[in-house]
Amino acid sequence: MLGPVGAEAGDAKAGRQKLTTCQGCHGLDGLSKNPEAPNLAGQVESYLVRSLAAYKSGERKNESMNIVAKELSDEDIADVAAYYASIQVDVLPP
């Protein structure tokens, strides 16, 4: 199972509008300015959905994320995941 039962692919455009809380740690562009927060840009959408759902349920523990995720609906989770997954990341070898 990739996400909540009955969940459909999220709307990236709607997700961008819902990032007020997320961008404080993860950045609007998904590139974290906070060394304690991971980059989310280009992550696999289903991974982001599963992770947010696990924070929401308390299965996955992080003081900040558990609080933030509890406020998200399944639609919010899908939309935010779709937005961050839609950001293209170019990897350049050293």
Side-chain angles (χ1 to χ4, degrees), residues 47-69:
Y47 168 77
L48 293 172
V49 168
R50 283 193 312 271
S51 295
L52 283 169
Y55 284 124
K56 182 177 180 172
S57 73
E59 176 186 339
R60 190 167 175 179
K61 306 287 186 201
N62 176 280
E63 187 176 341
S64 297
M65 286 302 303
N66 293 129
I67 292 168
V68 170

Side-chain angles (χ1 to χ4, degrees), residues 25-43:
C25 295
H26 300 287
L28 180 61
D29 60 2
L31 300 175
S32 177
K33 312 306 184 255
N34 177 346
E36 300 297 317
N39 292 330
L40 300 181
Q43 278 286 2

Side-chain angles (χ1 to χ4, degrees), residues 73-86:
S73 69
D74 290 345
E75 180 181 3
D76 293 338
I77 289 172
D79 292 346
V80 167
Y83 173 71
Y84 279 126
S86 73

